[in-house]
Amino acid sequence: RLSAAVTSVFRSMGWHTLHREDSKYHETLMTPPARRNLLSYIEGLPRFGAREAYLWKEGVRWRRRTYADLHQRILACSDALGAAGLKPGDPVLIQGPDGADWVEALLGTLRAGGVAVPLDPVTPDDLRARIARKAGARLLVAPSGVAPPNGVMRIESGSWAGRRAAAARPAADPGPDDRAFVMFTSGTTGNPKGVVLTHGNLVSDFAPIERVYFKWRPVIRPVGRLRFLSTLQLSHMFGQAMNVFLGLTMGFTIVLVPARPLEVIEAARR
């Protein structure tokens, strides 16, 4: 239904009359990439180069990160996780404020073959420890103020910034049935329950939206660079879908803001 709705909007704007002087060129633009797993989203980042991938606020200062920098830092994060002992299939807890460092932790985990276990930014110590035990996690990516549970090693968010990724450390190659995420419930009414999402689950979920986007990409491209203002939390699956996988595939500059009216208005003015 979403695909049909988007197509209907484009046609109502008169965009169905696209001229195809070079059919092969337009066919390439209109064909989504074949995806075996979520790592293919990482591979596509360098094509946007110096374009801003993220804008977000830390305190009173706005921060930014380009697609090229984001890609290099994902590789460095993946390398840091591998050096810390991460093996394919190992879960990694991720907690912290919304920003590019969080995205690098997520995609770095997937590239290293790990399973992402996102936590709400304000997850308390006891709940984090319960989730770590239930998931069997031995690694946590989080800011210095977030205490790791017993037996869990913390890698500080963004600490990979100056690290050069080892060229000899290849990316993992998980199959469609391999775990990508374990999403835990809040635990407010009982023990937290983990929901497993595989690479194949998410690739198939994103595919219909990608097909609509790529179908109309030859028309959208002349509009230029687009900004996407989002109040969706990265710790939620919908936030990851829109702010990471789909938003980056479409080359958006993603502006991350809290769901507070004054901050949304300020961000929209930038």
Side-chain angles (χ1 to χ4, degrees), residues 205-226:
D205 283 347
F206 301 154
I209 301 173
E210 286 192 78
R211 282 196 294 270
V212 173
Y213 168 72
F214 277 89
K215 178 178 180 179
W216 296 103
R217 188 166 69 156
V219 177
I220 298 171
R221 281 167 62 97
V223 175
R225 301 180 181 183
L226 299 175

Side-chain angles (χ1 to χ4, degrees), residues 3-18:
S3 299
V6 174
T7 300
S8 176
V9 169
F10 285 147
R11 285 179 174 166
S12 71
M13 297 171 68
W15 287 5
H16 60 289
T17 57
L18 173 67

Side-chain angles (χ1 to χ4, degrees), residues 65 73 76-78 80-81 84 92-97 100-102 104-105 139-148 152-163:
R65 193 147 299 159
R73 289 170 61 110
C77 177
S78 174
L81 289 166
V92 178
L93 306 179
I94 303 172
Q95 181 173 344
D101 287 349
W102 200 103
E104 291 159 9
L139 288 171
L140 163 70
V141 181
S144 58
V146 176
V152 176
M153 174 184 174
R154 184 187 63 215
I155 297 176
E156 187 171 344
S157 299
S159 61
W160 48 83
R163 185 186 188 98

Side-chain angles (χ1 to χ4, degrees), residues 15-70:
W15 287 5
H16 60 289
T17 57
L18 173 67
H19 296 291
R20 293 187 173 88
E21 292 85 356
D22 186 338
S23 59
K24 188 173 183 179
Y25 169 73
H26 284 296
E27 182 180 353
T28 301
L29 284 180
M30 296 166 66
T31 305
R35 301 193 188 279
R36 167 179 164 82
N37 53 46
L38 296 173
L39 273 65
S40 58
Y41 289 95
I42 303 170
E43 297 164 0
L45 296 176
R47 73 185 187 277
F48 295 115
R51 180 182 302 183
E52 292 173 339
Y54 288 102
L55 291 172
W56 75 102
K57 203 171 184 181
E58 289 183 0
V60 297
R61 294 182 56 192
W62 281 93
R63 302 288 302 277
R64 61 192 67 229
R65 193 147 299 159
T66 67
Y67 275 85
D69 288 342
L70 182 72

Side-chain angles (χ1 to χ4, degrees), residues 72 75-77 79-80 160-167 169:
Q72 288 303 312
L75 302 188
C77 177
D79 187 69
W160 48 83
R163 185 186 188 98
R164 294 191 63 183
R169 193 185 297 277

